[in-house]
């Protein structure tokens, strides 16, 4: 999986591209570690170009949710569709990290 | 006369002074002269006067380096080289081919037929000895690589033996198919993606009147998920669960398991479906933590999925779980499965999916339970196009008779 970092308004955005599975663990963790030092209000995982997610990806997202829980920063998953969204829904990952259609929708959403 | 090059070179991979050299030359004077020079370097020297004897000694003694004359009786030098390269036991032998004809074409032919280096008979003493040193260094490196390879093979064999042993243990945790309670038939099929899988399932009596059954899926594949799955399976034994609860209550079991098995540092976790069936009331209570693979096929053929969205185990320390209760009719079948079945991908990447699985189930509705599960596995395999799926694939089926 390829991971690219950019900013959008007040958010750090990680663009995830390809297969989000156990093989992405190191890169995903490293990308998260970099974001921990930042001060953005939101951290968004844009999964629009993710073609596959497996159980390991769910675990990594859950870890991310735990790691940022104590900080005053909101996490969001953006652009999940098709099978990827089905897997997220089945694991109920939205309960930990809300799912949004767009990055602006994520930034405009009120805190839960 | 210039002194011989010393036997001990300062290079990192200096050959051992006890190295053995095989000298194959039919000219006694030339052979004796070369042998004497090599012995002065502290090397052990073996001698042969023809190719056939040379090859025999090479096979028997495995010298570190062979110096081979091109023209020798019985079998010429290049043919000896070819024979050596065809024999897996000695193919890495270092060979210097020697001849009085040192035309480029001949050098190329000698190297092409298996020699490692080439030496003209008119070469100076220094050049000969330098090439011997070079050949011995190469031999030393090759031997070091071969030793490492052998050690790796040995370790690999040990690991594989341990994996086979662990897989056998995991198999021992699986239930024995058959009638698990009066009127309840159970069957299963399982195909781990590696030697060790992270899926486990079981079906056991909680009491005389109720049975407990579950399917759990540890994220990931291999040894660590298998060990974690075995640990959770042990936790789910009725004699252990009775330390935490008095009744067979799936929601309570998952709440307790959620405390016991938090998300690990590397993001490993479980999904699980647990059911308790009361034989007197014919009621099935179930609860799930992120596991979508459970359905009931009613006697009349309709299929209902027994799932609801919930976080997997360990994601939130204070998660509570909901038990759903349904009535079981005679002839109904409950199937639990891991996602490796319905998420089996075709070559195009498209997954088999719950809908195709349901359709396949419909096709086999009248078949005995014991043949339905392998048939479903076979259909998933046909879709995937290979016998091993990318994820563990498990199916557990219960048929409730009157």
């Amino acid at each position: 999986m390829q991971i690219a970092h950019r900013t959008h308004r007040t958010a750090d955005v990680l663009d995830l591209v390809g297969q989000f599975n156990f093989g992405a663990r190191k890169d995903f963790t490293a990308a998260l570690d970099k974001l921990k030092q930042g001060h953005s209000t939101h951290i968004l995982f844009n999964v629009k170009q993710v073609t596959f997610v497996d159980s390991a990806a769910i675990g990594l997202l859950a870890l991310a949710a735990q790691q940022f829980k104590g900080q005053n920063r909101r996490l969001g998953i953006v652009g999940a569709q098709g099978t990827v969204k089905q897997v997220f829904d089945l694991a109920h990952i939205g309960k930990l990290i809300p799912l949004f259609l767009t990055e602006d929708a994520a930034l405009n959403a009120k805190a839960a | 006369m210039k002194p011989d090059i010393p036997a001990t070179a300062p290079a990192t991979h200096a050959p051992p002074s006890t190295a053995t050299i095989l000298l194959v030359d039919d000219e006694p004077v030339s052979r004796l002269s070369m042998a004497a020079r090599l012995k002065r370097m502290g090397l052990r020297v073996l001698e042969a006067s023809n190719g056939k004897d040379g090859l025999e000694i090479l096979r028997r003694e495995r010298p570190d380096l062979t110096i081979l004359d091109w023209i020798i009786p019985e079998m010429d030098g290049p043919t000896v080289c070819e024979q050596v390269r065809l024999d897996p036991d000695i193919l890495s032998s270092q060979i210097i081919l020697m001849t009085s004809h040192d035309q480029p074409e001949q050098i190329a032919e000698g190297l092409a037929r298996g020699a490692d280096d080439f030496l003209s008979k008119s070469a100076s003493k220094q050049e000969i000895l330098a090439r011997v040193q070079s050949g011995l260094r190469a031999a030393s490196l090759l031997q070091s690589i071969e030793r490492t390879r052998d050690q790796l093979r040995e370790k690999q064999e040990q690991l594989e033996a341990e994996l086979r042993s662990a897989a056998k243990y995991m198999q021992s945790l699986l239930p024995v198919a058959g009638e698990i309670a009066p009127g309840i038939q159970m069957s299963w099929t399982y195909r781990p993606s590696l030697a060790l899988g992270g899926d486990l399932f079981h079906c056991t009596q909680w009491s005389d009147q109720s049975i407990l059954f579950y399917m759990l899926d540890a994220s990931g594949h291999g040894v660590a998920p298998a060990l974690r799955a075995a640990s959770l399976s042990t936790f789910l034994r009725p004699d252990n669960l009775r330390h935490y609860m008095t009744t067979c209550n799936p929601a309570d079991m998952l709440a307790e398991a959620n405390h016991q098995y938090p998300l690990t540092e590397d993001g490993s976790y479980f999904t699980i479906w647990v059911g308790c069936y009361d034989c007197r009331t014919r009621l099935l209570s179930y609860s799930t933590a992120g596991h979508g693979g459970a359905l009931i096929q009613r006697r009349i053929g309709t299929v209902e999925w027994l799932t609801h969205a919930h976080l997997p185990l360990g994601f939130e320390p204070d998660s509570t779980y909901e038990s759903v209760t349904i009535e079981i009719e005679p002839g109904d079948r409950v199937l639990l499965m891991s996602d490796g079945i319905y998420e089996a991908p075709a070559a195009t990447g498209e997954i088999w999916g719950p809908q195709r699985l349901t359709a396949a189930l419909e096709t086999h509705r009248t078949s005995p339970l014991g043949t339905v599960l392998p048939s479903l596995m076979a259909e998933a395999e046909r879709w995937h196009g290979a016998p091993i799926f990318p994820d563990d694939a498990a199916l557990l089926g219960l048929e409730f008779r009157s």
Side-chain angles (χ1 to χ4, degrees), chain B residues 41 77 84 151 158 165 167 188-189 209 215 218 249 255 260 263 270 274 292 302 334 343 363-364:
Chain B
M41 291 170 69
V84 167
Q151 285 166 358
Q158 281 174 6
S165 173
W188 58 265
T189 180
Q209 300 298 331
M215 169 79 66
N249 184 320
Q260 302 273 347
L263 188 67
F270 294 103
V274 179
T302 55
V334 172
E343 288 180 0
T363 309
H364 298 288

PDB file of all heavy atoms in Angstrom, chain B residues 41 77 84 151 158 165 167 188-189 209 215 218 249 255 260 263 270 274 292 302 334 343 363-364:
ATOM      1  N   MET B  41      54.060 -24.736   0.685  1.00  0.00           N
ATOM      2  CA  MET B  41      53.099 -23.739   1.174  1.00  0.00           C
ATOM      3  C   MET B  41      52.319 -24.270   2.371  1.00  0.00           C
ATOM      4  O   MET B  41      51.424 -23.599   2.899  1.00  0.00           O
ATOM      5  CB  MET B  41      52.090 -23.386   0.069  1.00  0.00           C
ATOM      6  CG  MET B  41      52.678 -22.624  -1.090  1.00  0.00           C
ATOM      7  SD  MET B  41      51.502 -22.494  -2.475  1.00  0.00           S
ATOM      8  CE  MET B  41      50.285 -21.410  -1.802  1.00  0.00           C
ATOM      9  N   GLY B  77      40.768 -33.016 -19.313  1.00  0.00           N
ATOM     10  CA  GLY B  77      40.432 -32.050 -18.257  1.00  0.00           C
ATOM     11  C   GLY B  77      39.042 -31.441 -18.386  1.00  0.00           C
ATOM     12  O   GLY B  77      38.262 -31.449 -17.421  1.00  0.00           O
ATOM     13  N   VAL B  84      32.123 -33.008 -13.029  1.00  0.00           N
ATOM     14  CA  VAL B  84      32.041 -32.408 -11.691  1.00  0.00           C
ATOM     15  C   VAL B  84      30.795 -31.530 -11.591  1.00  0.00           C
ATOM     16  O   VAL B  84      30.050 -31.574 -10.601  1.00  0.00           O
ATOM     17  CB  VAL B  84      33.312 -31.580 -11.394  1.00  0.00           C
ATOM     18  CG1 VAL B  84      33.125 -30.702 -10.160  1.00  0.00           C
ATOM     19  CG2 VAL B  84      34.505 -32.513 -11.211  1.00  0.00           C
ATOM     20  N   GLN B 151      23.197 -25.199   7.584  1.00  0.00           N
ATOM     21  CA  GLN B 151      22.647 -24.820   8.899  1.00  0.00           C
ATOM     22  C   GLN B 151      21.219 -24.290   8.753  1.00  0.00           C
ATOM     23  O   GLN B 151      20.340 -24.603   9.550  1.00  0.00           O
ATOM     24  CB  GLN B 151      23.523 -23.753   9.556  1.00  0.00           C
ATOM     25  CG  GLN B 151      24.824 -24.312  10.112  1.00  0.00           C
ATOM     26  CD  GLN B 151      25.828 -23.212  10.451  1.00  0.00           C
ATOM     27  OE1 GLN B 151      25.563 -22.035  10.233  1.00  0.00           O
ATOM     28  NE2 GLN B 151      26.983 -23.606  10.950  1.00  0.00           N
ATOM     29  N   GLN B 158      13.883 -28.125  11.454  1.00  0.00           N
ATOM     30  CA  GLN B 158      13.440 -28.091  12.860  1.00  0.00           C
ATOM     31  C   GLN B 158      12.156 -27.281  13.005  1.00  0.00           C
ATOM     32  O   GLN B 158      11.208 -27.694  13.659  1.00  0.00           O
ATOM     33  CB  GLN B 158      14.515 -27.452  13.734  1.00  0.00           C
ATOM     34  CG  GLN B 158      15.663 -28.382  14.092  1.00  0.00           C
ATOM     35  CD  GLN B 158      16.769 -27.644  14.836  1.00  0.00           C
ATOM     36  OE1 GLN B 158      16.624 -26.477  15.180  1.00  0.00           O
ATOM     37  NE2 GLN B 158      17.872 -28.318  15.058  1.00  0.00           N
ATOM     38  N   SER B 165       4.060 -30.181  14.564  1.00  0.00           N
ATOM     39  CA  SER B 165       3.652 -30.575  15.900  1.00  0.00           C
ATOM     40  C   SER B 165       2.587 -29.610  16.437  1.00  0.00           C
ATOM     41  O   SER B 165       1.578 -30.029  17.017  1.00  0.00           O
ATOM     42  CB  SER B 165       4.892 -30.587  16.804  1.00  0.00           C
ATOM     43  OG  SER B 165       4.524 -30.811  18.112  1.00  0.00           O
ATOM     44  N   ALA B 167       0.599 -27.732  14.633  1.00  0.00           N
ATOM     45  CA  ALA B 167      -0.627 -27.909  13.840  1.00  0.00           C
ATOM     46  C   ALA B 167      -1.414 -29.112  14.348  1.00  0.00           C
ATOM     47  O   ALA B 167      -2.642 -29.091  14.401  1.00  0.00           O
ATOM     48  CB  ALA B 167      -0.273 -28.080  12.364  1.00  0.00           C
ATOM     49  N   TRP B 188     -17.904 -30.470  10.371  1.00  0.00           N
ATOM     50  CA  TRP B 188     -17.067 -29.305  10.075  1.00  0.00           C
ATOM     51  C   TRP B 188     -16.039 -29.623   8.993  1.00  0.00           C
ATOM     52  O   TRP B 188     -15.732 -30.799   8.728  1.00  0.00           O
ATOM     53  CB  TRP B 188     -16.361 -28.780  11.329  1.00  0.00           C
ATOM     54  CG  TRP B 188     -15.472 -29.764  12.052  1.00  0.00           C
ATOM     55  CD1 TRP B 188     -15.829 -30.528  13.116  1.00  0.00           C
ATOM     56  CD2 TRP B 188     -14.093 -30.077  11.780  1.00  0.00           C
ATOM     57  NE1 TRP B 188     -14.774 -31.297  13.530  1.00  0.00           N
ATOM     58  CE2 TRP B 188     -13.686 -31.036  12.724  1.00  0.00           C
ATOM     59  CE3 TRP B 188     -13.160 -29.643  10.836  1.00  0.00           C
ATOM     60  CZ2 TRP B 188     -12.392 -31.584  12.758  1.00  0.00           C
ATOM     61  CZ3 TRP B 188     -11.876 -30.171  10.869  1.00  0.00           C
ATOM     62  CH2 TRP B 188     -11.505 -31.127  11.814  1.00  0.00           C
ATOM     63  N   THR B 189     -15.519 -28.573   8.412  1.00  0.00           N
ATOM     64  CA  THR B 189     -14.382 -28.706   7.489  1.00  0.00           C
ATOM     65  C   THR B 189     -13.505 -27.470   7.662  1.00  0.00           C
ATOM     66  O   THR B 189     -14.000 -26.383   7.932  1.00  0.00           O
ATOM     67  CB  THR B 189     -14.839 -28.880   6.023  1.00  0.00           C
ATOM     68  OG1 THR B 189     -13.704 -29.010   5.187  1.00  0.00           O
ATOM     69  CG2 THR B 189     -15.667 -27.703   5.532  1.00  0.00           C
ATOM     70  N   GLN B 209     -28.484 -30.167  29.250  1.00  0.00           N
ATOM     71  CA  GLN B 209     -29.585 -29.607  28.459  1.00  0.00           C
ATOM     72  C   GLN B 209     -29.141 -28.539  27.463  1.00  0.00           C
ATOM     73  O   GLN B 209     -29.965 -28.050  26.698  1.00  0.00           O
ATOM     74  CB  GLN B 209     -30.642 -28.997  29.412  1.00  0.00           C
ATOM     75  CG  GLN B 209     -31.259 -29.987  30.378  1.00  0.00           C
ATOM     76  CD  GLN B 209     -32.002 -31.089  29.640  1.00  0.00           C
ATOM     77  OE1 GLN B 209     -32.516 -30.886  28.537  1.00  0.00           O
ATOM     78  NE2 GLN B 209     -32.044 -32.288  30.227  1.00  0.00           N
ATOM     79  N   MET B 215     -17.279 -19.916  16.775  1.00  0.00           N
ATOM     80  CA  MET B 215     -16.256 -19.816  15.715  1.00  0.00           C
ATOM     81  C   MET B 215     -15.466 -18.553  16.014  1.00  0.00           C
ATOM     82  O   MET B 215     -16.045 -17.478  16.161  1.00  0.00           O
ATOM     83  CB  MET B 215     -16.943 -19.702  14.354  1.00  0.00           C
ATOM     84  CG  MET B 215     -16.059 -19.327  13.189  1.00  0.00           C
ATOM     85  SD  MET B 215     -15.075 -20.673  12.495  1.00  0.00           S
ATOM     86  CE  MET B 215     -16.297 -21.749  11.811  1.00  0.00           C
ATOM     87  N   ALA B 218      -8.655 -15.374  14.803  1.00  0.00           N
ATOM     88  CA  ALA B 218      -7.586 -14.477  15.263  1.00  0.00           C
ATOM     89  C   ALA B 218      -7.018 -13.774  14.042  1.00  0.00           C
ATOM     90  O   ALA B 218      -6.705 -14.437  13.045  1.00  0.00           O
ATOM     91  CB  ALA B 218      -6.496 -15.272  15.968  1.00  0.00           C
ATOM     92  N   ASN B 249     -24.369 -17.975  28.714  1.00  0.00           N
ATOM     93  CA  ASN B 249     -24.825 -16.690  28.203  1.00  0.00           C
ATOM     94  C   ASN B 249     -23.764 -16.098  27.262  1.00  0.00           C
ATOM     95  O   ASN B 249     -22.719 -15.627  27.714  1.00  0.00           O
ATOM     96  CB  ASN B 249     -25.079 -15.754  29.391  1.00  0.00           C
ATOM     97  CG  ASN B 249     -25.649 -14.433  28.938  1.00  0.00           C
ATOM     98  OD1 ASN B 249     -25.242 -13.876  27.920  1.00  0.00           O
ATOM     99  ND2 ASN B 249     -26.618 -13.926  29.685  1.00  0.00           N
ATOM    100  N   ALA B 255     -18.225 -10.428  26.844  1.00  0.00           N
ATOM    101  CA  ALA B 255     -17.806  -9.301  27.688  1.00  0.00           C
ATOM    102  C   ALA B 255     -16.563  -9.686  28.497  1.00  0.00           C
ATOM    103  O   ALA B 255     -15.605  -8.907  28.611  1.00  0.00           O
ATOM    104  CB  ALA B 255     -18.941  -8.894  28.626  1.00  0.00           C
ATOM    105  N   GLN B 260     -10.304  -9.990  28.826  1.00  0.00           N
ATOM    106  CA  GLN B 260      -9.128 -10.874  28.889  1.00  0.00           C
ATOM    107  C   GLN B 260      -8.207 -10.726  27.675  1.00  0.00           C
ATOM    108  O   GLN B 260      -7.018 -11.019  27.754  1.00  0.00           O
ATOM    109  CB  GLN B 260      -9.584 -12.341  28.965  1.00  0.00           C
ATOM    110  CG  GLN B 260     -10.493 -12.645  30.144  1.00  0.00           C
ATOM    111  CD  GLN B 260      -9.707 -12.993  31.389  1.00  0.00           C
ATOM    112  OE1 GLN B 260      -8.513 -13.244  31.320  1.00  0.00           O
ATOM    113  NE2 GLN B 260     -10.382 -13.004  32.521  1.00  0.00           N
ATOM    114  N   LEU B 263      -6.737  -5.627  22.483  1.00  0.00           N
ATOM    115  CA  LEU B 263      -5.967  -5.433  21.245  1.00  0.00           C
ATOM    116  C   LEU B 263      -4.473  -5.448  21.583  1.00  0.00           C
ATOM    117  O   LEU B 263      -4.052  -4.796  22.534  1.00  0.00           O
ATOM    118  CB  LEU B 263      -6.365  -4.076  20.658  1.00  0.00           C
ATOM    119  CG  LEU B 263      -5.880  -3.673  19.280  1.00  0.00           C
ATOM    120  CD1 LEU B 263      -6.519  -4.563  18.211  1.00  0.00           C
ATOM    121  CD2 LEU B 263      -6.249  -2.215  19.008  1.00  0.00           C
ATOM    122  N   PHE B 270      -9.405 -10.531  17.958  1.00  0.00           N
ATOM    123  CA  PHE B 270     -10.278 -11.635  17.551  1.00  0.00           C
ATOM    124  C   PHE B 270     -11.617 -11.114  17.057  1.00  0.00           C
ATOM    125  O   PHE B 270     -12.140 -10.136  17.607  1.00  0.00           O
ATOM    126  CB  PHE B 270     -10.601 -12.545  18.749  1.00  0.00           C
ATOM    127  CG  PHE B 270      -9.423 -13.282  19.301  1.00  0.00           C
ATOM    128  CD1 PHE B 270      -8.824 -12.852  20.468  1.00  0.00           C
ATOM    129  CD2 PHE B 270      -8.944 -14.417  18.674  1.00  0.00           C
ATOM    130  CE1 PHE B 270      -7.750 -13.542  21.003  1.00  0.00           C
ATOM    131  CE2 PHE B 270      -7.867 -15.109  19.212  1.00  0.00           C
ATOM    132  CZ  PHE B 270      -7.270 -14.670  20.370  1.00  0.00           C
ATOM    133  N   VAL B 274     -20.544 -16.599  19.192  1.00  0.00           N
ATOM    134  CA  VAL B 274     -20.796 -17.634  20.210  1.00  0.00           C
ATOM    135  C   VAL B 274     -22.294 -17.903  20.296  1.00  0.00           C
ATOM    136  O   VAL B 274     -23.105 -16.965  20.306  1.00  0.00           O
ATOM    137  CB  VAL B 274     -20.296 -17.180  21.604  1.00  0.00           C
ATOM    138  CG1 VAL B 274     -20.580 -18.261  22.641  1.00  0.00           C
ATOM    139  CG2 VAL B 274     -18.819 -16.895  21.582  1.00  0.00           C
ATOM    140  N   GLY B 292     -18.948 -11.940  11.080  1.00  0.00           N
ATOM    141  CA  GLY B 292     -20.145 -11.922  10.232  1.00  0.00           C
ATOM    142  C   GLY B 292     -20.545 -13.268   9.682  1.00  0.00           C
ATOM    143  O   GLY B 292     -21.548 -13.381   8.964  1.00  0.00           O
ATOM    144  N   THR B 302     -35.140 -21.372   3.546  1.00  0.00           N
ATOM    145  CA  THR B 302     -34.794 -19.949   3.668  1.00  0.00           C
ATOM    146  C   THR B 302     -33.544 -19.776   4.542  1.00  0.00           C
ATOM    147  O   THR B 302     -33.316 -20.555   5.475  1.00  0.00           O
ATOM    148  CB  THR B 302     -35.953 -19.141   4.299  1.00  0.00           C
ATOM    149  OG1 THR B 302     -36.297 -19.753   5.542  1.00  0.00           O
ATOM    150  CG2 THR B 302     -37.156 -19.105   3.375  1.00  0.00           C
ATOM    151  N   VAL B 334     -27.670 -24.676  11.402  1.00  0.00           N
ATOM    152  CA  VAL B 334     -26.909 -23.452  11.690  1.00  0.00           C
ATOM    153  C   VAL B 334     -25.484 -23.653  11.179  1.00  0.00           C
ATOM    154  O   VAL B 334     -24.860 -24.685  11.451  1.00  0.00           O
ATOM    155  CB  VAL B 334     -26.891 -23.133  13.206  1.00  0.00           C
ATOM    156  CG1 VAL B 334     -25.938 -21.988  13.507  1.00  0.00           C
ATOM    157  CG2 VAL B 334     -28.294 -22.768  13.675  1.00  0.00           C
ATOM    158  N   GLU B 343     -14.966 -14.574   1.644  1.00  0.00           N
ATOM    159  CA  GLU B 343     -14.096 -13.544   1.062  1.00  0.00           C
ATOM    160  C   GLU B 343     -13.029 -14.155   0.164  1.00  0.00           C
ATOM    161  O   GLU B 343     -12.059 -13.481  -0.191  1.00  0.00           O
ATOM    162  CB  GLU B 343     -13.456 -12.708   2.173  1.00  0.00           C
ATOM    163  CG  GLU B 343     -14.462 -11.786   2.855  1.00  0.00           C
ATOM    164  CD  GLU B 343     -13.863 -10.936   3.953  1.00  0.00           C
ATOM    165  OE1 GLU B 343     -12.655 -11.043   4.201  1.00  0.00           O
ATOM    166  OE2 GLU B 343     -14.626 -10.179   4.569  1.00  0.00           O
ATOM    167  N   THR B 363     -28.499 -24.837  -3.266  1.00  0.00           N
ATOM    168  CA  THR B 363     -28.306 -25.956  -4.196  1.00  0.00           C
ATOM    169  C   THR B 363     -28.136 -27.278  -3.453  1.00  0.00           C
ATOM    170  O   THR B 363     -28.602 -28.319  -3.912  1.00  0.00           O
ATOM    171  CB  THR B 363     -27.029 -25.704  -5.053  1.00  0.00           C
ATOM    172  OG1 THR B 363     -27.110 -24.402  -5.607  1.00  0.00           O
ATOM    173  CG2 THR B 363     -26.885 -26.736  -6.155  1.00  0.00           C
ATOM    174  N   HIS B 364     -27.466 -27.212  -2.318  1.00  0.00           N
ATOM    175  CA  HIS B 364     -27.153 -28.451  -1.572  1.00  0.00           C
ATOM    176  C   HIS B 364     -28.111 -28.677  -0.405  1.00  0.00           C
ATOM    177  O   HIS B 364     -27.803 -29.441   0.502  1.00  0.00           O
ATOM    178  CB  HIS B 364     -25.714 -28.374  -1.050  1.00  0.00           C
ATOM    179  CG  HIS B 364     -24.695 -28.268  -2.127  1.00  0.00           C
ATOM    180  ND1 HIS B 364     -24.363 -29.309  -2.959  1.00  0.00           N
ATOM    181  CD2 HIS B 364     -23.938 -27.217  -2.539  1.00  0.00           C
ATOM    182  CE1 HIS B 364     -23.438 -28.909  -3.820  1.00  0.00           C
ATOM    183  NE2 HIS B 364     -23.171 -27.645  -3.587  1.00  0.00           N
TER     184      HIS B 364
END
